[in-house]
């Protein structure tokens, strides 16, 4: 097999404590998955069906500088737990969802809120607000073999040393098995998929020079500077 152009580079995440990497297939993101964040965005957090959007695998940023993106003057942070799948399929029952998890990471769903807001108002897709270059700063993955199933634990984010987001994974409206099962009804999931599971309340804008430091207890931490 020969390609007519150079093959795209395979995006990867490192695995904690090893030289090995995890090849990324797709990135699914859950919208408004914490009630207090749904409220702060002006929505009713009643248990409506979950909804999803995607980022591109090559939006992952492993560098510690997040370049402030063009075409926006209102870029928000959203601290999230990331689930990494080692296998997939369609129509996965909740009772089998945990079997597909390779491990967990933490990441930021960086959002051009002004462009996303305009898209919402006009009924247009969210890609310009969500799936731009470097929009997914991520930590290395910690294998589930080390953590066990993660369904609770503190999720937090400091901006310039001040606590801005402070929640618990057990506040998710749709928990991880439910999310995997629901997603698998809409898409055939596969080894290499990442799921960004939503953000707790406290999201806000960043400025150049800000330092963001966040984490999920038992999983890992991430630290970036806005460049
Ligand atoms: Mn998000």
């Amino acid at each position: 097999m020969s390609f007519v152009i150079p093959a795209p580079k395979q995006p990867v995440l490192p695995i904690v404590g090893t030289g090995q990497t995890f090849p990324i297939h797709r990135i699914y993101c859950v919208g408004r998955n914490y009630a207090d964040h749904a409220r702060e965005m002006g929505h009713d957090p009643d248990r409506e069906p979950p909804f999803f959007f995607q980022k591109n695998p090559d939006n992952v940023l492993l560098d510690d500088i997040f370049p402030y993106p063009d075409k926006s003057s209102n870029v928000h942070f959203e601290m999230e737990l990331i689930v990494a799948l080692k296998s997939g399929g369609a129509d996965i029952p909740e009772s089998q969802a945990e079997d597909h998890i390779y491990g967990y990471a933490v990441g930021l769903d960086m959002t051009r809120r002004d462009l996303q807001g305009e898209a919402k108002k006009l009924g247009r897709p969210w890609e310009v607000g969500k799936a731009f270059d470097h929009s997914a700063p991520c930590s290395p993955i910690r294998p589930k073999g080390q953590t066990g199933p993660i369904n609770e634990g503190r999720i937090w984010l400091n901006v310039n040393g001040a606590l801005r987001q402070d929640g618990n994974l057990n506040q998710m409206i749709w928990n991880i098995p439910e999310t995997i099962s629901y997603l698998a009804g809409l898409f055939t999931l596969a080894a290499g998929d990442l799921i960004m599971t939503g953000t707790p309340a406290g999201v806000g804008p960043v400025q150049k020079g800000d330092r963001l430091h966040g984490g999920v207890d038992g999983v890992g931490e991430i630290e970036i500077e806005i460049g």
Side-chain angles (χ1 to χ4, degrees):
M1 173 76 77
S2 65
F3 296 117
V4 296
I5 55 168
K9 206 172 144 207
Q10 170 65 57
V12 299
L13 280 182
I15 307 297
V16 173
T18 75
Q20 293 181 299
T21 57
F22 178 94
I24 303 167
H25 177 242
R26 291 180 186 163
I27 305 177
Y28 297 101
C29 307
V30 189
R32 290 174 214 138
N33 201 24
Y34 289 75
D36 50 0
H37 172 62
R39 276 188 213 100
E40 77 179 346
M41 298 303 288
H43 295 275
D44 180 347
D46 273 354
R47 217 162 181 261
E48 290 167 4
F51 73 93
F52 305 96
F53 58 91
Q54 291 182 45
K55 289 181 185 271
N56 301 296
D58 65 351
N59 294 155
V60 163
L61 175 72
L62 295 171
D63 194 53
D64 54 4
I65 305 283
F66 167 84
Y68 197 100
D70 292 338
K71 306 285 190 280
S72 179
S73 54
N74 188 19
V75 175
H76 276 205
F77 53 81
E78 297 188 359
M79 184 67 204
E80 311 207 359
L81 174 74
I82 299 172
V83 177
L85 300 188
K86 65 180 178 187
S87 55
D91 297 322
I92 298 170
E94 271 173 49
S95 60
Q96 288 167 27
E98 285 280 353
D99 301 342
H100 296 281
I101 299 176
Y102 172 77
Y104 306 91
V106 304
L108 288 155
D109 168 12
M110 299 303 287
T111 302
R112 292 196 281 211
R113 194 71 79 199
D114 41 4
L115 298 192
Q116 184 203 22
E118 198 177 318
K120 282 182 185 172
K121 205 161 53 192
L122 297 170
R124 290 180 180 164
W126 284 11
E127 278 90 345
V128 292
K130 288 290 196 179
F132 56 94
D133 293 347
H134 317 300
S135 61
C138 293
S139 77
I141 293 174
R142 190 174 294 281
K144 190 179 169 192
Q146 294 175 17
T147 63
I150 299 263
N151 288 297
E152 59 180 332
R154 184 170 177 241
I155 177 169
W156 54 274
L157 180 78
N158 284 338
V159 179
N160 301 324
L163 186 63
R164 298 292 299 276
Q165 292 192 272
D166 192 9
N168 194 296
L169 303 178
N170 63 18
Q171 297 163 340
M172 286 182 195
I173 296 172
W174 298 92
N175 68 27
I176 291 167
E178 288 170 338
T179 297
I180 291 172
S181 180
Y182 204 96
L183 257 180
L186 295 168
F187 304 95
T188 301
L189 299 182
D193 286 345
L194 299 179
I195 303 170
M196 301 189 76
T197 55
T199 196
V203 301
V206 296
Q207 312 295 334
K208 286 181 189 175
D210 283 351
R211 295 196 64 86
L212 276 53
H213 179 202
V216 173
D217 287 0
V219 175
E221 296 185 7
I222 188 168
E223 197 162 5
I224 60 167
E225 183 178 329
I226 310 301

